[in-house]
Amino acid sequence: MSSLLDTPTLSAPPPPPIPALERPLSPAELAAALRAFHSSYYVEHPFHRLMHEMRLFWADHSVHHSATEFDFTTAQRFHIFEWVPKVIVMFPLAMIGFHPLVLFLFTSLAGIQLICHTARFGRWGWWDKHFVSPTIHGVHHSRNPIYMDRNLGGGLNFWDHVFQTYQAATDEKMVFGITHAVNSTNVIKVLFWEYTFLWRDFIHAPTLKDKVIVLFGRPGETFEAPAKGHAAPPAITSAISAIVRAA
């Protein structure tokens, strides 16, 4: 009996640590998160620039830019091959050591972009200079020569200032869309519109070097086959029509 009374009382186990998501971030964690967010722009800006400056990627990205109205639905216009250039860009970055959080933040910028696809709001003063806003992104979606291929940032305008791709809105009215206007609501035609021009120019390019430049050169600066208006090659037009009829 005495041995039972003399048994030491077990101390209560220590409380479990508070999960990281249920407590405030420490200064070190906050600094790391801000660095990761900023680092994501090392990925986002050059990726977006490639989408505008390489014809093979532009044929895909042009679907997003082909809308002649600038509203929230424009943010949802993506090609079925949208994931291909992202994998091409992100896989090597992951291999050379970019943290997965950086790549995740890069893909999450689309959420910020959603609220910037609208022409309903005016200019936001000092905000427009440093951060993406509806007006700043409206400039990006315009096909006016002064606005084309500008404001490539997804949330911050920092790298646009560094690489001199920043353009503030001027008194010139924004004209939305692409230079090869689709002028159609046919989904198949919209999806493959720029690919038809890419294929036409690739087939008719006179040399192998010209063909390579057609694929990887800057839109508007590569070989272009003579064509009547904006007509696509007959074979491609027939193939698109067959797909539409089958659907």
Side-chain angles (χ1 to χ4, degrees):
M1 179 66 71
S2 60
S3 61
L4 294 176
L5 295 176
D6 294 338
T7 301
T9 304
L10 297 177
S11 59
I18 301 175
L21 296 179
E22 297 180 9
R23 60 177 172 79
L25 290 175
S26 68
E29 290 171 329
L30 180 59
L34 291 175
R35 285 197 303 270
F37 182 76
H38 183 66
S39 297
S40 67
Y41 284 89
Y42 285 96
V43 183
E44 194 272 343
H45 191 278
F47 166 78
H48 198 176
R49 191 164 186 168
L50 276 178
M51 298 287 277
H52 281 259
E53 297 187 356
M54 183 184 295
R55 284 195 68 181
L56 186 61
F57 283 179
W58 172 245
D60 176 284
H61 191 54
S62 63
V63 174
H64 180 63
H65 278 264
S66 61
T68 55
E69 300 290 337
F70 188 59
D71 53 35
F72 293 134
T73 62
T74 307
Q76 309 306 318
R77 291 172 68 101
F78 291 106
H79 202 284
I80 56 176
F81 301 137
E82 179 79 12
W83 59 274
V84 175
K86 287 186 177 180
V87 170
I88 292 174
V89 171
M90 289 196 292
F91 183 76
L93 291 171
M95 292 297 98
I96 64 176
F98 270 84
H99 195 280
L101 176 60
V102 172
L103 302 181
F104 171 76
L105 288 171
F106 159 56
T107 58
S108 299
L109 292 175
I112 301 175
Q113 289 282 311
L114 174 62
I115 63 173
C116 292
H117 285 82
T118 178
R120 293 179 179 273
F121 304 112
R123 303 179 189 182
W124 291 3
W126 64 268
W127 180 281
D128 289 344
K129 184 175 181 179
H130 303 287
F131 302 96
V132 175
S133 68
T135 297
I136 290 301
H137 202 60
V139 166
H140 174 71
H141 270 263
S142 302
R143 59 186 178 92
N144 313 53
I146 190 177
Y147 296 147
M148 287 177 62
D149 300 329
R150 298 291 179 173
N151 300 346
L152 300 165
L156 303 175
N157 297 330
F158 176 79
W159 290 113
D160 283 311
H161 288 292
V162 170
F163 293 110
Q164 298 182 346
T165 53
Y166 175 81
Q167 175 62 55
T170 69
D171 292 333
E172 184 172 335
K173 182 180 179 181
M174 300 177 194
V175 180
F176 303 114
I178 57 178
T179 53
H180 285 167
V182 184
N183 296 325
S184 175
T185 57
N186 184 299
V187 174
I188 302 299
K189 190 172 184 179
V190 171
L191 285 175
F192 294 98
W193 182 245
E194 280 294 327
Y195 281 104
T196 63
F197 295 102
L198 182 68
W199 177 253
R200 179 201 68 189
D201 296 342
F202 178 81
I203 289 298
H204 290 92
T207 67
L208 178 60
K209 179 181 178 180
D210 289 329
K211 293 180 185 296
V212 173
I213 294 175
V214 164
L215 294 177
F216 301 105
R218 188 184 179 98
E221 299 180 5
T222 71
F223 171 85
E224 291 189 16
K228 185 177 180 180
H230 287 161
I236 296 179
T237 305
S238 301
I240 293 175
S241 299
I243 294 173
V244 173
R245 287 196 298 271

